[in-house]
Amino acid sequence: MSSIPMSPVIEAIKQSYQTHINPRPKVATKIYIACSGGRDSMALLFACQQLQLPIHVIHINHKLQKISDNWQQFVEAYCHKHRIDYDSVCIDWQSQQVYAADSTISHEQQVGTQQVNEQQVNEQQARTARYHAIIQIAGENAIVALAHHANDQVETLLMNLCQGTGLAGLTGMTAFGVQHEFGKPIWLWRPLLGVTRDEISDFVAAQHIPYIDDPTNFGVANQRAFLRNQILPLLDERFHKVVQNITRTQQNLTEAQRIVEEQYQQDLALCQWSNGWTSHQQCLHIPNLTSLSQARRFNLLHHWVKGSQKFAPTRQLILQIEQLLQLAQTDQQAILQWQGIEIRKYRDTLYRLDADYVKAIHGKSDYRVLTNLAADVELSVGLSLGLSLASRAVLPNESFQLLSQSFHQSFKKLCQRFDIPSWERQFAKVVIMHDNKEKVLTASQTPPRFALLLPNISVWLADASELNLATQALCPWQLVWTDSLISKCH
C-alpha cells in the first residue's frame, strides 16, 4: 500500500470501501465499474486498480455519437493492457435491444447499428438502457461502482430545484444503496461523492491517467452542461467554494430527511391496518390518519402512495386523496388512479391497490382462485378437521344462514356486515364438505355448505353447527401470486 499515491481520490475510495463494502463480504467478491472512458470513470478505475480491489469493467456503447466506437476501443485496450476483466455492451436503438459480450478479458462484441442522433434519445431512455445492460452482465445484488463526484451532486440538486422537487430530491445521490431496476436489486457504490471535479483533475494529471473528453460536457446543449459551464462558474465567482458549500447543505438536508423518514414510520405504524389477505393491497385507518397534522398526513400519504414505485406521486394527487378522505358517505366508493395503482376509499379505510391487483380485479390478468381446501385446515378453536373439502364460487343471489341464526342473509349484506369492499367480493369462496375425493364438484351441485371464505375472515355456516365451531375465524387463505395471480391455501 505504500506505493499507492496519496490523494483525495484514493483516500475517499479507501474510506468508502471500508465503510460500505467490507461489511458485505458476500457481495464484495467482485466490483463492477461502469467506465465510459472519460476522466472521472478512468480516475475511479485507476484508483481501484491501485488499491487492488476485485474489479470488473463494464463499458456501455450508447451508439449516440460518431466517436462512440472509439470510446469502446479505448476502454477495451486499457483493460486488455492491464489484464482487467471487462465487458463491452452495445445498444441498438432501432430495435431497442441490448447486446452484451460474454464475460471475458479479451472478447469483443461487435454490433452493427444505424447511427442514432443524441437528441432523439433523452436522458431517461439512455439511463434505462444503461442499467438494463449492466444488470445483464452483473446480475442481481451486484455492486456497481459509479464515478459521480461532488460537482455531479451539486448539478443534480440544482436541476431538481429548478424543476420543482421535494426534500428527497434535494438530498441528492447516496454513497451506497440498493436500487431496484427491472425488478432486480443492485448495489450502487459512489465513493467519490465527497471529491470535487478539480481534485479528480489534479489526480488524473499527477498520475498521467489516459482518458477521452466527452464533447457533450462542453457548451450548453443540455441542462447539466448549461449548469456546469454557465451557472456554477458564476456562482463560484460570487460565492467562494460554492460546490463545497452546497455539498454541506445537502448533508444537512440528508439528516433532515432521515428525521422525516423516522416520523413517517411512526405515523405509518399508527395508521396502517393489517394488509389482510394479500400483500398487494395496503390499508390505512382513516380516523387515525385524519388525526395527524396536515404536514404529517401529507408526508405519510406521499410515502405510502409511492411504495416501491420509481417516481413519487404529484402534489395534486395527494390533494385529491385529501378530498377523498372528506367524503361523508361511509359506503361511497371512489377511485383515484396513478401509474397503474389505484387509491380507493371504503368506509373508514383507505386502500392502495398495486398494479397487478388492479389488473386482477378488472379481469385483465390470468389467474385462478382457490379450487380446493386442504383437509387439515387449522381452525381458530385449535381443531384440525379430518374432512375432505372443496370449494366453489358464490352463486348469483345466493344467501347464507350463519351459525346460531334462524334466518338467511344475502351475500351482499354479509359483505357489508364484515366490511368487505366490492372489489374483493369476487374472490369469495364457499367451502363444502366432500365425501367422495374422486368426485368433481360443479357449481350446479349443492352438497352441504361448510363455510363462506371472505377476505380476512371465515364465516362458518349453519350446516357445520354439529362441529361446535366458532361463528367467525381468521380466513385460512391468502391471495398471492408469483408470475401470475394465484390464490393459495395457507
Side-chain angles (χ1 to χ4, degrees):
M1 290 288 182
S2 59
S3 62
I4 297 177
M6 298 297 293
S7 80
V9 173
I10 293 289
E11 290 302 312
I13 294 175
K14 284 177 60 177
Q15 182 177 352
S16 184
Y17 186 87
Q18 293 170 358
T19 301
H20 302 296
I21 311 299
N22 269 344
R24 297 171 172 84
K26 291 184 178 180
V27 295
T29 55
K30 184 177 292 187
I31 297 173
Y32 294 87
I33 298 180
C35 182
S36 66
R39 176 189 52 201
D40 304 331
S41 61
M42 288 302 296
L44 175 62
L45 172 57
F46 179 87
C48 290
Q49 181 187 0
Q50 293 296 305
L51 290 168
Q52 300 180 354
L53 302 183
I55 57 177
H56 183 115
V57 169
I58 298 179
H59 174 78
I60 311 298
N61 185 344
H62 285 90
K63 291 287 184 178
L64 295 178
Q65 302 180 41
K66 293 181 179 179
I67 61 172
S68 292
D69 291 344
N70 295 339
W71 286 58
Q72 177 180 339
Q73 294 166 8
F74 169 78
V75 173
E76 290 175 347
Y78 183 91
C79 292
H80 184 68
K81 177 182 177 180
H82 294 278
R83 299 183 181 276
I84 301 172
D85 290 355
Y86 73 88
D87 278 283
S88 295
V89 181
C90 295
I91 298 175
D92 181 352
W93 291 103
Q94 266 63 43
S95 62
Q96 294 184 346
Q97 295 291 323
V98 177
Y99 300 90
D102 292 334
S103 181
T104 179
I105 291 178
S106 59
H107 184 70
E108 178 181 352
Q109 180 75 12
Q110 294 289 346
V111 180
T113 61
Q114 184 178 355
Q115 190 69 36
V116 179
N117 191 310
E118 187 175 2
Q119 278 69 35
Q120 293 177 294
V121 180
N122 63 37
E123 185 176 341
Q124 183 58 39
Q125 288 175 308
R127 179 192 177 280
T128 299
R130 184 161 58 249
Y131 277 106
H132 185 264
I134 289 173
I135 289 175
Q136 280 190 324
I137 297 298
E140 294 185 30
N141 289 309
I143 295 177
V144 179
L146 305 173
H148 296 129
H149 49 71
N151 294 66
D152 292 326
Q153 186 82 296
V154 169
E155 292 164 8
T156 300
L157 180 145
L158 291 176
M159 288 178 61
N160 291 343
L161 185 63
C162 292
Q163 294 170 351
T165 187
L167 183 57
L170 298 177
T171 59
M173 298 171 281
T174 57
F176 189 81
V178 67
Q179 183 161 320
H180 289 80
E181 297 288 342
F182 309 100
K184 298 179 179 179
I186 57 174
W187 294 91
L188 299 184
W189 182 39
R190 301 181 179 92
L192 300 179
L193 283 182
V195 182
T196 66
R197 180 180 286 114
D198 289 342
E199 290 172 326
I200 293 176
S201 297
D202 292 342
F203 176 69
V204 167
Q207 299 303 318
H208 307 288
I209 302 172
Y211 68 93
I212 299 178
D213 270 323
D214 185 348
T216 62
N217 287 334
F218 306 98
V220 293
N222 57 62
Q223 292 178 336
R224 189 174 290 275
F226 170 71
L227 291 171
R228 178 182 305 142
N229 300 312
Q230 295 290 324
I231 303 304
L232 278 174
L234 289 176
L235 292 175
D236 195 56
E237 183 178 335
R238 178 61 65 94
F239 305 98
H240 186 53
K241 295 185 177 180
V242 67
V243 170
Q244 292 89 331
N245 294 339
I246 295 179
T247 299
R248 187 168 62 252
T249 297
Q250 284 181 310
Q251 293 171 348
N252 294 335
L253 290 171
T254 299
E255 293 297 325
Q257 175 70 5
R258 289 172 183 165
I259 297 173
V260 171
E261 288 285 347
E262 291 176 2
Q263 185 65 65
Y264 160 69
Q265 293 297 334
Q266 294 177 14
D267 291 342
L268 181 65
L270 172 68
C271 299
Q272 190 169 38
W273 283 112
S274 168
N275 294 330
W277 73 316
T278 173
S279 62
H280 297 267
Q281 175 175 272
Q282 313 295 323
C283 306
L284 294 180
H285 185 47
I286 293 177
N288 287 356
L289 181 61
T290 54
S291 70
L292 300 175
S293 67
Q294 193 278 334
R296 285 170 57 184
R297 186 169 61 251
F298 188 95
N299 180 60
L300 172 57
L301 290 172
H302 178 86
H303 284 77
W304 181 75
V305 172
K306 180 179 182 295
S308 60
Q309 299 284 93
K310 183 180 293 293
F311 301 106
T314 62
R315 173 174 286 270
Q316 181 181 4
L317 177 65
I318 305 302
L319 293 177
Q320 289 176 331
I321 296 176
E322 290 273 13
Q323 295 174 356
L324 184 62
L325 297 176
Q326 305 303 319
L327 291 178
Q329 297 91 332
T330 57
D331 288 339
Q332 182 174 351
Q333 297 182 34
I335 303 174
L336 297 175
Q337 297 178 329
W338 174 75
Q339 293 192 12
I341 72 171
E342 288 186 354
I343 306 298
R344 298 183 178 222
K345 174 182 179 290
Y346 181 71
R347 297 190 173 177
D348 284 338
T349 304
L350 189 68
Y351 296 84
R352 180 195 184 279
L353 282 56
D354 76 6
D356 287 331
Y357 192 28
V358 169
K359 291 178 182 178
I361 63 178
H362 290 300
K364 296 181 180 179
S365 65
D366 296 328
Y367 67 94
R368 58 183 175 85
V369 295
L370 185 67
T371 56
N372 58 71
L373 193 62
D376 59 346
V377 172
E378 197 70 22
L379 302 177
S380 62
V381 295
L383 175 65
S384 183
L385 297 178
L387 299 174
S388 177
L389 306 175
S391 65
R392 62 167 173 81
V394 177
L395 301 177
N397 302 317
E398 189 168 7
S399 61
F400 300 90
Q401 182 181 356
L402 304 185
L403 286 177
S404 72
Q405 290 187 351
S406 60
F407 58 91
H408 285 69
Q409 287 181 281
S410 69
F411 174 67
K412 179 180 179 181
K413 289 293 185 182
L414 284 174
C415 287
Q416 292 174 341
R417 172 177 174 176
F418 295 113
D419 292 329
I420 307 299
S422 62
W423 64 88
E424 291 186 345
R425 297 172 190 175
Q426 61 182 296
F427 299 107
K429 306 297 292 186
V430 177
V431 177
I432 49 184
M433 288 185 285
H434 182 10
D435 294 330
N436 183 358
K437 295 183 179 180
E438 304 299 325
K439 182 180 179 181
V440 178
L441 294 170
T442 64
S444 61
Q445 294 174 306
T446 57
R449 294 177 301 192
F450 183 62
L452 176 62
L453 289 190
L454 300 171
N456 297 332
I457 191 170
S458 298
V459 182
W460 305 109
L461 305 177
D463 304 272
S465 57
E466 69 273 11
L467 298 175
N468 296 319
L469 299 176
T471 304
Q472 302 166 23
L474 293 177
C475 184
W477 64 303
Q478 278 192 318
L479 190 70
V480 297
W481 57 84
T482 51
D483 293 334
S484 60
L485 191 64
I486 302 173
S487 183
K488 294 182 179 179
C489 179
H490 290 270

